[in-house]
Amino acid sequence: MGFPKQRLRRLRQNENIRRLVRETHLSIDDLIMPLFVRPGKGIKQLIPSMPGNYQMSVDKITEEAKELEGLGIPGIILFGIPEKKDEMGSGAYADEGIIQEAIIAIKKAVKNILVITDVCMCEYTDHGHCGFVRRDDKTGHFEVDNDMTLELLVKESVSHAKAGADIVAPSDMMDGRVGAIRDGLDENGFDHIPIMAYSAKYSSGFYGPFREAAESTPGFGDRSSYQMDPHNAIEALREVSLDIEEGADIVMVKPALAYLDIIRRIKDSFDHPVAAYNVSGEFSIVKAAAEKGWIDEKRVALEILTGIKRAGADMILTYWAKDAARWLKK
Ligand code: PBG
């Protein structure tokens, strides 16, 4: 009788065998939780499009950070909603800015969690673009002025580091920002602060809920003149290689799910740690379907995070970090 000698099912028959042959391990060590901080006191305001996520005032976000530390989560990444926005995005680099205040408070109260800061102008400019916008005299079009923006991003990064940030994460996609920020940090005595660069950041519809959460939807135009075109993969390798040359310590792919091939290619082509941002839209579609009873949130979320890990990510920024930390506890 020609029974197959190789039976893969032999290695799947019970959980202990499956544990031994498992190739990918998702753990709390992989997770970074994004948090949104806003002015005020005692505020914890639900973000309707992202169930389970809140805009929090500094006191509340400090409590939250403490809880996340208790769950064993290694890091948080902070996004700020400033009191007021202006043309220069001055809230981004003010010493008494919302993020700076939050970093100081969290660092004082929570000893064992990394505070990563998103470095970008979009939450602070009145038009919602990621940099300083000027009108091109020749074409009459509005354009983000790359090199002017670099100066603001350097100021923002240094002010985060001064407040006590452990890692800065530029997400603006201006050319040359990693090198400029590296120089700025080094000149100000912060040569020990790593840069996690949003290197392959695509122009994506998956950021929709985040823009509601961070109140950062562009008032005109979109971000496609500085974020990557979803059709391109080789270009992502160029972005990563430039960021590494400029001094990036960790490189990031964002979003994650529609870009798993990009994560894998970067992982295979470079030696640097790779982060993946499992973005707001990827989270909200699962939440919405789960609320309707169409899918099992825990099962699907863990499957998604495992998939991102299997694609090659060393760490994952995810709105499931807190839930997953509980789910993964033995
Ligand atoms: C820009 C920034 C964005 C996200 C993280 N940093 C928004 C954008 O580029 O429009 C999106 C994250 C998410 O969707 O979860 N500061």
Side-chain angles (χ1 to χ4, degrees):
M1 291 284 265
F3 289 125
K5 293 245 177 331
Q6 285 296 336
R7 279 187 183 271
L8 290 169
R9 291 172 55 184
R10 281 184 207 121
L11 297 177
R12 294 175 193 157
Q13 59 186 308
N14 67 50
E15 178 60 10
N16 281 334
I17 295 187
R18 289 194 293 272
R19 281 172 65 204
L20 289 174
V21 301
R22 207 154 267 165
E23 299 170 36
T24 304
H25 298 272
L26 178 69
S27 100
I28 298 174
D29 298 347
D30 305 324
L31 305 174
I32 297 167
M33 180 75 191
L35 297 176
F36 299 93
V37 58
R38 64 166 309 129
K41 224 178 151 41
I43 297 174
K44 185 168 177 182
Q45 189 176 319
L46 182 70
I47 300 162
S49 59
M50 299 172 68
N53 288 266
Y54 303 84
Q55 292 183 347
M56 286 175 267
S57 52
V58 169
D59 52 334
K60 288 287 171 187
I61 213 163
T62 305
E63 283 172 23
E64 182 71 15
K66 210 155 181 55
E67 197 181 333
L68 295 170
E69 176 197 42
L71 286 167
I73 291 177
I76 56 175
I77 180 161
L78 296 180
F79 297 95
I81 300 111
E83 189 85 66
K84 58 178 183 14
K85 307 185 185 221
D86 57 32
E87 192 193 9
M88 299 298 288
S90 56
Y93 41 83
D95 283 341
E96 65 291 355
I98 185 70
I99 287 288
Q100 290 76 0
E101 236 187 79
I103 302 167
I104 292 167
I106 293 169
K107 278 282 137 193
K108 211 161 138 197
V110 191
K111 295 293 164 223
N112 195 24
I113 199 159
L114 289 170
V115 176
I116 306 168
T117 57
D118 183 82
V119 173
C120 194
M121 301 304 293
C122 65
E123 296 129 61
Y124 307 93
T125 51
D126 46 16
H127 44 66
H129 278 285
C130 299
F132 179 72
V133 170
R134 79 165 82 245
R135 191 163 166 276
D136 187 307
D137 291 336
K138 276 182 241 127
T139 62
H141 292 155
F142 289 95
E143 271 183 354
V144 173
D145 182 327
N146 191 94
D147 299 1
M148 171 80 190
T149 303
L150 292 185
E151 290 177 29
L152 304 180
L153 295 168
V154 170
K155 275 168 80 169
E156 185 179 3
S157 304
V158 171
S159 79
H160 289 175
K162 270 192 192 145
D166 299 298
I167 299 179
V168 294
S171 68
D172 51 281
M173 287 302 273
M174 295 303 121
D175 284 316
R177 88 263 203 232
V178 173
I181 290 171
R182 185 70 273 158
D183 289 346
L185 289 173
D186 293 354
E187 283 160 18
N188 285 279
F190 299 112
D191 57 333
H192 59 291
I193 300 291
I195 297 176
M196 176 192 283
Y198 287 70
S199 301
K201 178 173 179 184
Y202 286 87
S203 178
S204 169
F206 284 99
Y207 307 147
F210 173 94
R211 290 180 185 171
E212 178 186 319
E215 301 175 12
S216 67
T217 308
F220 57 86
D222 61 23
R223 303 209 215 283
S224 48
S225 70
Y226 42 99
Q227 298 185 346
M228 279 189 63
D229 180 342
H231 302 82
N232 295 351
I234 298 165
E235 191 187 343
L237 302 180
R238 289 184 67 199
E239 286 282 9
V240 168
S241 107
L242 287 170
D243 282 358
I244 287 175
E245 265 174 44
E246 290 178 29
D249 301 284
I250 298 168
V251 294
M252 193 198 296
V253 177
K254 170 175 172 219
L257 284 187
Y259 302 91
L260 293 174
D261 58 320
I262 309 295
I263 297 173
R264 170 50 58 195
R265 286 176 80 150
I266 291 173
K267 187 68 196 164
D268 288 345
S269 307
F270 299 91
D271 298 329
H272 278 56
V274 178
Y277 201 137
N278 174 214
V279 301
S280 57
E282 299 170 338
F283 172 82
S284 298
I285 52 182
V286 173
K287 279 281 182 189
E291 273 175 13
K292 284 185 178 289
W294 291 345
I295 53 170
D296 172 346
E297 182 192 356
K298 175 180 169 186
R299 183 168 178 188
V300 168
L302 289 173
E303 191 173 334
I304 285 174
L305 296 175
T306 302
I308 296 169
K309 190 86 200 289
R310 196 187 61 242
D314 298 291
M315 64 197 89
I316 307 172
L317 296 85
T318 176
Y319 303 97
W320 276 300
K322 188 175 180 183
D323 290 332
R326 295 198 184 108
W327 294 331
L328 293 167
K329 260 212 158 68
K330 288 264 159 65

